[in-house]
Amino acid sequence: MKRLTMTICLICATLLYAAGQLISSSSLVVTKTNFSLPEIEPGYEQSIDVGYDYLEEDNTGLDLNYIGGWRFNRMFFAGIGTGLYFNWYGAKSTGFYVTPYTYDYFRILNTPTVNVPLYAHARVYFTKKRCMPFVGLSAGGLFSKKGTFNCQNVMDDNAYYETEYSTNRFLLNVMVGASYRMTARSDLYLSVGFKGKTQPYADNIDRYGFDMKQKFLPGMDAHIGFTF
């Protein structure tokens, strides 16, 4: 009887210890689950990011961006962006010969390797969790020095003329992504989206000259950045 009583007491003690451990573990899980960062307060917010794009006509480039603006609340941010855009695409055509077969044939023109973007940017975030999906929109322009187009007319005693043209272009970027909050005022984000920009080209080429126009080149891009 004494041995049975001791066995029962030992079993009860073991059960009580296991229950205590279970309650302690459950409390720890609850504590972790309920953890949340402070609410995002309105104020100045800035971000830096690197982006890569691939557009029509094998047009590719690398972006280095700085965006500064105002975080109105947890959901909405608006600001102005600038930086550097490196056009890996380089020259498509810096000149051509006018022949009987050149008529009505357009040529994409050269743009500088280094360009300066300037654009308005807006972003809308969703959810109150540490990981927040978002949609963003950028619209503005790419600015760079003028280009020179050379033309030699083989149908007019090889007459040669040179034309300057503007390489400033329109820029549009629509993106979707996710932002991971590391602290109350900083996060890391990734995004992908649609990107398009205009490109100068020569159209309606004949022995008397050509028309300078802009062609919209659509494509895709991806960004990785840090907000602080």
Side-chain angles (χ1 to χ4, degrees):
M1 185 70 178
K2 188 175 181 179
R3 182 179 297 177
L4 179 61
T5 302
M6 291 180 64
T7 302
I8 293 173
C9 290
L10 181 61
I11 293 173
C12 289
T14 303
L15 291 175
L16 287 172
Y17 177 79
Q21 290 296 104
L22 182 61
I23 291 171
S24 176
S25 299
S26 299
S27 300
L28 182 61
V29 171
V30 170
T31 301
K32 288 184 176 179
T33 303
N34 290 336
F35 173 78
S36 61
L37 292 168
E39 272 293 318
I40 297 174
E41 298 292 334
Y44 185 78
E45 186 175 272
Q46 54 194 333
S47 63
I48 53 175
D49 77 27
V50 178
Y52 173 79
D53 62 39
Y54 182 84
L55 283 68
E56 267 188 9
E57 304 284 346
D58 295 325
N59 200 314
T60 61
L62 178 70
D63 277 303
L64 298 177
N65 295 299
Y66 171 82
I67 302 173
W70 194 262
R71 188 69 175 262
F72 293 89
N73 49 43
R74 177 187 59 81
M75 292 186 59
F76 187 67
F77 168 85
I80 300 294
T82 187
L84 292 174
Y85 177 73
F86 299 95
N87 189 12
W88 293 352
Y89 177 70
K92 182 68 175 180
S93 180
T94 57
F96 59 86
Y97 292 95
V98 177
T99 72
Y101 308 102
T102 310
Y103 294 124
D104 298 323
Y105 179 71
F106 77 86
R107 298 286 182 93
I108 297 291
L109 301 181
N110 179 45
T111 50
T113 302
V114 180
N115 306 262
V116 177
L118 182 63
Y119 54 88
H121 179 79
R123 192 175 294 185
V124 178
Y125 294 87
F126 304 94
T127 79
K128 293 184 177 181
K129 298 181 179 179
R130 182 185 286 267
C131 186
M132 299 182 294
F134 66 83
V135 295
L137 172 66
S138 297
L142 280 174
F143 301 93
S144 52
K145 64 181 182 180
K146 287 186 176 181
T148 302
F149 193 77
N150 305 316
C151 183
Q152 188 171 0
N153 190 346
V154 299
M155 299 174 64
D156 188 16
D157 297 326
N158 287 323
Y160 174 86
Y161 57 91
E162 185 177 275
T163 302
E164 281 194 339
Y165 59 91
S166 173
T167 61
N168 297 336
R169 289 156 285 162
F170 172 73
L171 173 68
L172 178 67
N173 195 190
V174 182
M175 64 191 73
V176 295
S179 174
Y180 182 80
R181 293 184 68 193
M182 295 181 292
T183 69
R185 296 298 300 176
S186 65
D187 60 65
L188 182 70
Y189 65 87
L190 296 170
S191 70
V192 294
F194 167 84
K195 186 174 184 178
K197 61 184 178 68
T198 56
Q199 190 83 0
Y201 74 96
D203 197 12
N204 298 322
I205 303 167
D206 60 27
R207 69 174 67 186
Y208 305 108
F210 52 87
D211 298 328
M212 194 67 68
K213 296 184 179 180
Q214 293 280 337
K215 178 180 174 64
F216 186 76
L217 304 180
M220 304 292 291
D221 77 336
H223 291 259
I224 178 170
F226 179 71
T227 297
F228 55 98

